[in-house]
Amino acid sequence: MTEGRHCQVHLLDDRRLELLVQPKLLARELLDLVASHFNLKEKEYFGITFIDDTGQQNWLQLDHRVLDHDLPKKPGPTILHFAVRFYIESISFLKDKTTVELFFLNAKACVHK
């Protein structure tokens, strides 16, 4: 079971998940796994990004395998970021307090950058 690629997913609350991503793992399954760490119910607003070799931010396509993406070829674990992908008009439309908190943490990180 050592086949795969080491990845580190940076979460919005500054935690990091160390994972060995297997070749058949879909990006949707990875997002489900990450969302489960927050007990997140409204995961349709979120996604996972990576920075490619040219410095551009790319979103993992949920219906593709994680390792089929053009991930950077640097040595060490591949760095992925859990982030808000789709914004809404007002956070008052959100149903779950966890989703509101993650939207806040994403906004805070964007302002910090």
Side-chain angles (χ1 to χ4, degrees):
M1 292 294 293
T2 59
E3 186 181 338
R5 188 164 179 180
H6 287 279
C7 292
Q8 187 178 81
V9 182
H10 292 210
L11 305 178
L12 292 168
D13 60 1
D14 294 328
R15 289 185 295 162
R16 288 166 171 58
L17 295 177
E18 299 278 343
L19 304 166
L20 180 63
V21 174
Q22 299 296 319
K24 292 185 178 184
L25 184 72
L26 291 175
R28 173 176 278 99
E29 295 167 334
L30 178 59
L31 180 61
D32 289 344
L33 178 69
V34 172
S36 73
H37 281 271
F38 293 105
N39 204 12
L40 182 63
K41 296 173 184 71
E42 297 174 288
K43 60 186 171 212
E44 62 271 13
Y45 300 110
F46 298 90
I48 298 177
T49 69
F50 66 95
I51 306 296
D52 66 17
D53 290 326
T54 65
Q56 296 296 313
Q57 181 180 5
N58 296 279
W59 291 96
L60 293 182
Q61 300 301 311
L62 297 180
D63 56 343
H64 290 78
R65 292 183 180 133
V66 174
L67 300 182
D68 288 348
H69 291 83
D70 192 20
L71 298 171
K73 308 290 188 260
K74 300 174 191 171
T78 300
I79 306 298
L80 303 171
H81 299 273
F82 176 73
V84 174
R85 183 168 187 175
F86 300 107
Y87 292 91
I88 57 174
E89 192 175 315
S90 170
I91 62 167
S92 64
F93 295 131
L94 299 173
K95 297 177 181 97
D96 190 54
K97 68 178 184 172
T98 303
T99 311
V100 173
E101 181 182 350
L102 291 172
F103 263 74
F104 168 76
L105 290 172
N106 190 85
K108 180 179 160 187
C110 290
V111 168
H112 180 71
K113 286 180 186 177

